[in-house]
Amino acid sequence: MKFGKTRQKVKQMKIYLASFFEEHNWGSGMLVSIARGQKPRVVLVDKLYEGFCPSEKISRKYYADKQDGIESAGEDFQTAYSQELEEFFKQAEIDAKNENKSLIELLDLKEGETFLSWERSGRSNYRNVLAEQLKKIGCEVYLEGIQI
């Protein structure tokens, strides 16, 4: 009898991204804020994940640009946030290699976690930028309740 190599399908970790206000899009794990500052009183988050939060610098610029009527404020914000995340994930890859861990282990991601921000589905938000980064590292990502 020959024994061949068997391939096991590796189960991807499910991660959810949603609005604080849309519980029907949340996963079954911890609720993690990716928004700095005040949170809705009706939602008790388990923690803040600072590495996935937009910096205060780009947040302040977004609100100032929006108040000044600059139409590209949202686009500029997403571009800046994307650059911040790229840098964050590059450094995390280096750290994971140095610590002999997988990137998911280093980032301490947990099955079913939901990363929350303010904006409701269908409105411009930055969760889609984070979703793409999480997909790149091998997570099964659900954005607004839909697998992407």
Side-chain angles (χ1 to χ4, degrees):
M1 180 181 224
K2 278 189 170 179
F3 293 96
K5 290 184 180 179
T6 59
R7 291 186 186 178
Q8 290 183 340
K9 188 174 180 178
V10 177
K11 183 182 174 206
Q12 290 182 308
M13 179 178 299
K14 291 181 182 177
I15 299 291
Y16 298 80
L17 297 113
S19 169
F20 288 116
F21 305 107
E22 295 174 332
E23 188 174 347
H24 59 279
N25 290 331
W26 299 356
S28 59
M30 290 196 318
L31 300 178
V32 182
S33 176
I34 56 170
R36 297 182 192 279
Q38 198 171 351
K39 311 297 177 279
R41 290 183 202 169
V42 295
V43 179
L44 296 176
V45 296
D46 296 298
K47 65 181 180 178
L48 170 72
Y49 201 112
E50 293 215 21
F52 293 168
C53 290
S55 69
E56 290 181 34
K57 177 184 174 183
I58 66 170
S59 293
R60 279 193 306 269
K61 182 178 181 339
Y62 167 73
Y63 288 113
D65 288 355
K66 192 174 171 186
Q67 189 174 20
D68 291 343
I70 297 173
E71 289 184 26
S72 64
E75 237 176 77
D76 294 345
F77 175 87
Q78 288 204 10
T79 299
Y81 179 61
S82 181
Q83 291 169 346
E84 285 183 349
L85 277 183
E86 285 285 336
E87 291 174 26
F88 174 81
F89 276 93
K90 280 182 189 175
Q91 186 59 53
E93 285 177 11
I94 292 167
D95 294 345
K97 188 175 182 178
N98 290 340
E99 294 181 30
N100 200 26
K101 292 181 176 181
S102 76
L103 192 51
I104 290 175
E105 285 175 316
L106 180 87
L107 296 173
D108 198 27
L109 301 177
K110 305 287 187 225
E111 175 75 25
E113 278 184 318
T114 303
F115 292 94
L116 300 166
S117 65
W118 285 91
E119 304 80 12
R120 294 180 189 272
S121 298
R123 295 192 179 153
S124 179
N125 66 69
Y126 55 93
R127 292 187 298 269
N128 59 329
V129 178
L130 177 57
E132 289 304 318
Q133 288 292 334
L134 293 171
K135 276 184 65 174
K136 284 182 189 177
I137 66 167
C139 294
E140 184 177 323
V141 179
Y142 291 80
L143 179 63
E144 322 305 357
I146 300 168
Q147 183 179 359
I148 59 165

